[in-house]
Amino acid sequence: MNESQTPPKNIVLIGFMGSGKSTVGRELHQRLGYPLVDMDQVIEQRARKSIAAIFADAGEEAFRDMETSLLEELNDLAAPRRIISTGGGVVGREGNRGLLRQLGYVVWLHAPMPVILERTGKNRDRPLLHTDDPGARIEALMALRKPLYEETAHLKVKTTGLDCSELATGILESARYFFTGHL
Ligand code: S3P
């Protein structure tokens, strides 16, 4: 937990792969001017390799340890006002869920399975979907993770039918309310 005088005013985006966290994160960053931390990108830059390569070389647990360390670091920063876009599996560890809520306002971007399948099918960056039946894998992971997103988020946003600008407007309005009018 950060010990600074100023309470954290991060906006933290969680949700399944392909739910729009990175896109909405960029939009919020542009609107508020807060620095954007895309956790997957930071991990890739530090490891100097892609997430897929980290999974292949060191295994998923090593990647999860990197996620947890980064969350701890973000919690230690003084006066944090950031937009934090997370990887879809960050809610898997109980400790991470606590760290996420300590960081600030946690927003769950939710998209239905067919939309996720359509979006994630466009690239091969996601090692967990490197399987013969990505649809079945998405269903199984989604069933496991839904209650975890639910438990972690302050706000659930259904993304269907809304563009990233509309989503950002809604999130900002509720974040202002959450932070009692001051962002
Ligand atoms: C993962 C999601 C990915 C990335 C890694 C694992 C997951 O991030 O962290 O491939 O477990 O759902 P995105 O949600 O940004 O795709």
Side-chain angles (χ1 to χ4, degrees), residues 17 21 40 51 55 63-64 86-89 126-128 145:
M17 295 173 255
K21 293 165 296 196
D40 282 346
I51 305 271
F55 270 64
F63 171 75
R64 299 297 170 200
T86 62
R126 294 171 169 109
L128 291 178
R145 290 176 179 176

